[in-house]
Amino acid sequence: MNMTKKSRFMTKAISEVLDMELQAVLWQIYDEIIEQRKGHMDYLQVFEIEVCEKTLTITNRQEAPPFQTKFIINNKIKGDKNTTVWIIDDARYQTMLFPEDY
């Protein structure tokens, strides 16, 4: 659930490459960390996704203030390779993108 009520966007590469279910999981994790880190969120959230045979490990980190946490989920989601996804939150909207899209 979009806790901030800001519009959300994604790059064309995200919509074409990243499984829709994984996109939804990343937004859900993003909403959870907004709630957990009230007032201590960096505008740039980095999600490193590691695909294993039975699990997906999603490591979220930010620079200021420094924070890192891991989420391990059952690998029923279509993830075929390790990747990094950013979510950038500016004053008006949130955007999901690959680092190379920046």
Side-chain angles (χ1 to χ4, degrees), residues 5-18:
K5 306 296 185 223
K6 292 182 183 180
S7 295
R8 289 185 165 171
F9 300 96
M10 68 185 78
T11 61
K12 183 177 180 184
I14 289 286
S15 68
E16 291 177 348
V17 175
L18 202 64

